[in-house]
């Protein structure tokens, strides 16, 4: 991304969403005044973020060390999964739940006390998606999200539509070597004639192509299996986290109920004693 565009995008996406359009208009006008039409056009294409996306963007700009801690945890989870370290995965699951809660609370705090209704669930889902998906992690770290994201967990689901700020034009597509036209033979020169491959040579080439295709398919199958395993791991970790939270809440409710029963029994005994005195 162009440095000028990156700096402008950082300011726009860190600003409150209700100020985004006015600030973008000012930046476009400033770029046009400087006769930088390409920059003005790029700024004009920046999309206004939703409130949830802005909360994550602001967290990225104001507390980048927390985002780095989140992405470091993602790498630890992947390493533990690859090495099948069950004890580490349980410990990392607890860290995951705690860190997501901490980051979500910090994001809502940074929004300011005047904002009372905030999409905390969407913020937490986006941060959780950054743990599971590298492209989401890049967008979160850049602080240029335009919408909240959610990780679904199983299967080859369509990737969320990420709006990343990119500068410059696209490069012209290169011509594949096999499809490039051969230059015409120059007049007056002898052009060498290619010899026709033998039957054995054609068979060897065909076998080589088959082997290469099988190798490519095996690599793709392995990559898909690994990606699916990672998705299932993240879903299992989320389910474990939810179960542990439910267990803690149930234990607290049981403790409160036991205390209430004890207090009620004490009142019953006092009432019975009072009746005995009166009787």
């Amino acid at each position: 991304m162009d440095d000028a565009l990156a700096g402008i995008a950082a300011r726009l996406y860190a600003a409150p969403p209700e100020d985004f359009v006015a600030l973008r208009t000012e930046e476009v006008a400033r770029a046009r005044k400087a006769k930088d039409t390409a920059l003005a056009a790029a700024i004009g294409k920046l999309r206004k973020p939703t409130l949830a996306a802005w909360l994550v963007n602001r967290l990225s700009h104001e507390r980048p060390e927390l985002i780095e801690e989140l992405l470091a945890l993602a790498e630890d989870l992947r390493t533990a999964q690859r090495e099948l370290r069950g004890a580490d995965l349980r410990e990392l699951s607890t860290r995951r739940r705690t860190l997501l809660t901490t980051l979500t609370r910090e994001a809502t705090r940074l929004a300011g006390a005047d904002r009372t209704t905030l999409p905390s669930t969407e913020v937490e889902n986006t941060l959780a998606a950054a743990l599971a998906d590298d492209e989401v992690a890049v967008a979160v770290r850049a602080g240029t999200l335009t919408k909240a994201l959610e990780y679904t967990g199983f299967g080859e689901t369509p990737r969320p539509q990420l709006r990343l700020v990119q500068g410059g034009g696209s490069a012209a597509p290169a011509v594949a070597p096999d499809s490039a036209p051969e230059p015409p033979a120059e007049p007056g020169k002898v052009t060498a004639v290619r010899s026709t491959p033998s039957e054995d040579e054609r068979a060897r080439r065909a076998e080589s192509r088959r082997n290469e295709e099988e190798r490519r398919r095996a690599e793709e199958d392995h990559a898909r299996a690994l990606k699916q395993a990672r998705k299932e791991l993240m879903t299992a970790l989320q389910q474990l986290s939810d179960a542990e939270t439910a267990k803690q809440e149930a234990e607290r409710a049981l403790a409160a109920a036991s205390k209430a029963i004890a207090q009620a029994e004490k009142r019953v005994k006092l009432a019975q004693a009072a009746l005995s005195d009166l009787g």
Side-chain angles (χ1 to χ4, degrees):
M1 182 194 301
D2 179 80
D3 289 342
L5 179 59
I8 293 169
R11 292 194 296 274
L12 291 178
Y13 284 108
E18 60 268 21
D19 297 337
F20 183 89
V21 174
L23 292 174
R24 182 182 62 190
T25 301
E26 291 176 4
E27 294 292 350
V28 170
R30 188 174 294 111
R32 287 175 178 168
K33 186 176 181 180
K35 300 189 183 304
D36 193 338
T37 56
L39 178 60
I43 297 171
K45 292 178 181 178
L46 299 179
R47 300 290 298 278
K48 176 182 175 180
T50 64
L51 181 56
W54 171 69
L55 289 170
V56 178
N57 292 339
R58 188 170 179 83
L59 180 66
S60 177
H61 291 298
E62 297 289 335
R63 299 296 305 276
E65 75 281 3
L66 292 180
I67 298 299
E68 292 306 318
E69 184 179 352
L70 180 74
L71 302 187
L73 175 59
E75 181 59 32
D76 290 344
L77 282 166
R78 284 192 289 269
T79 300
Q81 184 265 335
R82 283 195 301 267
E83 299 176 3
L84 301 177
R85 302 199 305 260
D88 288 348
L89 285 172
R90 286 189 292 273
E91 188 272 333
L92 290 170
S93 174
T94 301
R95 278 179 54 194
R96 174 185 184 276
R97 182 177 65 254
T98 301
L99 186 57
L100 286 175
T101 300
T102 300
L103 266 64
T104 301
R105 288 176 178 171
E106 180 64 9
T108 55
R109 186 192 69 80
L110 291 172
D114 57 327
R115 295 181 185 271
T116 56
T117 304
L118 295 172
S120 301
T121 300
E122 293 181 23
V123 171
E124 184 170 346
N125 288 342
T126 300
L127 295 171
L131 279 172
D133 190 289
D134 291 339
E135 289 190 18
V136 179
V138 170
V140 168
R141 174 184 273 151
T144 54
L145 289 172
T146 61
K147 62 176 66 174
L149 305 172
E150 185 173 6
Y151 181 73
T152 55
F154 287 103
E156 295 294 329
T157 56
R159 183 173 297 282
Q161 296 298 313
L162 305 183
R163 175 70 176 179
L164 303 183
V165 181
Q166 298 178 347
S170 59
V175 179
D178 291 340
S179 62
E182 295 183 1
E186 295 181 17
K189 289 190 177 181
V190 177
T191 303
V193 179
R194 296 179 181 178
S195 59
T196 303
S198 65
E199 198 68 35
D200 290 343
E201 180 64 21
R202 285 197 294 270
R204 281 195 296 271
R205 291 180 182 179
E207 179 66 20
S208 177
R209 287 193 296 270
R210 283 194 296 271
N211 291 338
E212 178 63 22
E213 179 66 16
E214 289 175 359
R215 183 194 63 79
R216 183 186 63 79
R217 289 179 179 175
E219 289 179 351
E220 291 177 350
D221 290 344
H222 176 74
R224 281 194 294 269
L226 181 59
K227 185 175 182 180
Q228 179 68 15
R230 286 177 177 171
K231 287 184 176 182
E232 293 177 0
L233 169 66
M234 296 307 298
T235 300
L237 287 173
Q238 180 64 58
Q239 292 171 345
L240 175 62
S241 174
D242 294 343
E244 289 177 348
T245 299
K247 178 184 175 183
Q248 292 172 359
E249 292 175 352
E251 289 174 346
R252 286 194 293 269
L254 177 61
S258 298
K259 183 177 179 180
I261 290 172
Q263 291 174 345
E265 289 175 344
K266 184 177 180 180
R267 288 194 295 269
V268 168
K269 289 179 180 179
L270 290 174
Q272 289 175 340
L275 286 173
S276 297
D277 293 342
L278 292 173

